[in-house]
Amino acid sequence: MLLSRFFKKKGPDADPVSPQERMIEEQIVRRGIDEPRLIEAMRAVPRHQFIPAAYRSHAYDDCAVSLDLGQTVSQPYIVGLMTRLLDPVESDRILEIGTGSGYQTAILARLARSVYTVERLAVLGQRARETLQSLGYDNIHFRIGDGHSGWPEEAPFDGIMVTAAPSALPEALLRQLKSGGRMVIPIGEELYTVTRSGEETVKVHHGGVRFVPMVEDGA
Ligand code: SAH
């Protein structure tokens, strides 16, 4: 796809390209992610507002950024790739495990009908809620707890996005996925999509990734 579809003409009078536009061009579109709704969502979400002040100057860098408490917001390309793999449509209800900063949550909330997001660390979950509410999102539901149990009261979901890495596929999450639905999940250091049709589960490998571990409380 032509980059010019996404980027304003550059010329002597053009505005300088913002760090966010440069991120989208260099880290997302040039690496092959060019789905227009997703690009639009990444353009609409101010990534720097999700990042603690101390690390904010790195908000649009090509790497994961610290959120304190040993957690990180994923590299922009990984957010783009995982969202592309999940491929949410406007009518979808999505479950997200690992709210973290809320950045991935915001991208999902722009593409789907609603997002149910679960975070283990109350400080991060609360901070993400405040950020997302200040930006006006009203289709996100928050829960503090262990994502291994998912959100049974709201299941089944059209899609499930897991942004912390368990060592094995959590059975409860699979049970909360609709037949025909898709889960995107890092297991150990490998990224997978898992699709369900009836009792059949198909797992497809999408390469190596590094995520913080999905912690098993009480384990
Ligand atoms: N998607 C996030 C990045 C998340 S980092 C973003 O865009 O910022 C992974 C998050 O998963 C961390 O916030 C971590 O606290 C959380 N996490 C780890 N184990 C968890 C568990 N068992 N249940 C819910 N959240 C968990």
Side-chain angles (χ1 to χ4, degrees), residues 67 71-74 79 96-105 118-121 124 145-148 163-164 212-217:
L67 294 177
Q71 308 305 320
T72 56
V73 49
S74 304
V79 174
E96 179 192 41
I97 306 301
T99 314
S101 67
Y103 176 68
Q104 171 76 79
T105 321
V118 183
E119 169 57 52
R120 188 181 148 260
L121 297 173
L124 293 185
D146 182 357
H148 287 89
T163 69
V212 299
M214 185 159 156
V215 176
E216 301 222 32
D217 285 314

Side-chain angles (χ1 to χ4, degrees), residues 61-78:
D61 290 359
D62 192 9
C63 54
V65 182
S66 175
L67 294 177
D68 302 320
L69 304 175
Q71 308 305 320
T72 56
V73 49
S74 304
Q75 178 189 7
Y77 174 70
I78 294 295

Side-chain angles (χ1 to χ4, degrees), residues 83 86 88 94 96 103-112 115 161:
T83 310
L86 189 69
I94 304 291
E96 179 192 41
Y103 176 68
Q104 171 76 79
T105 321
I107 301 282
L108 292 171
R110 300 194 77 87
L111 297 170
V115 183
M161 172 74 90

Side-chain angles (χ1 to χ4, degrees), residues 45-68:
V45 179
R47 183 171 158 95
H48 59 277
Q49 292 197 23
F50 292 83
I51 296 190
Y55 317 107
R56 199 161 286 162
S57 60
H58 297 291
Y60 297 100
D61 290 359
D62 192 9
C63 54
V65 182
S66 175
L67 294 177
D68 302 320

Side-chain angles (χ1 to χ4, degrees), residues 3-107:
L3 293 180
S4 56
R5 247 183 88 177
F6 295 123
F7 305 105
K8 288 189 204 118
K9 268 213 168 104
K10 291 175 196 131
D13 304 327
D15 293 337
V17 179
S18 70
Q20 183 169 357
E21 282 299 328
R22 190 170 309 124
M23 169 196 93
I24 292 170
E25 176 176 355
E26 293 177 1
Q27 302 175 40
I28 307 296
V29 177
R30 263 189 224 164
R31 292 182 189 159
I33 297 173
D34 58 7
E35 203 267 311
R37 285 181 74 233
L38 173 54
I39 296 296
E40 223 24 72
M42 291 191 91
R43 184 170 281 153
V45 179
R47 183 171 158 95
H48 59 277
Q49 292 197 23
F50 292 83
I51 296 190
Y55 317 107
R56 199 161 286 162
S57 60
H58 297 291
Y60 297 100
D61 290 359
D62 192 9
C63 54
V65 182
S66 175
L67 294 177
D68 302 320
L69 304 175
Q71 308 305 320
T72 56
V73 49
S74 304
Q75 178 189 7
Y77 174 70
I78 294 295
V79 174
L81 175 66
M82 289 175 74
T83 310
R84 187 73 195 98
L85 290 172
L86 189 69
D87 199 19
V89 298
E90 270 165 79
S91 54
D92 279 353
R93 293 167 68 253
I94 304 291
L95 172 66
E96 179 192 41
I97 306 301
T99 314
S101 67
Y103 176 68
Q104 171 76 79
T105 321
I107 301 282

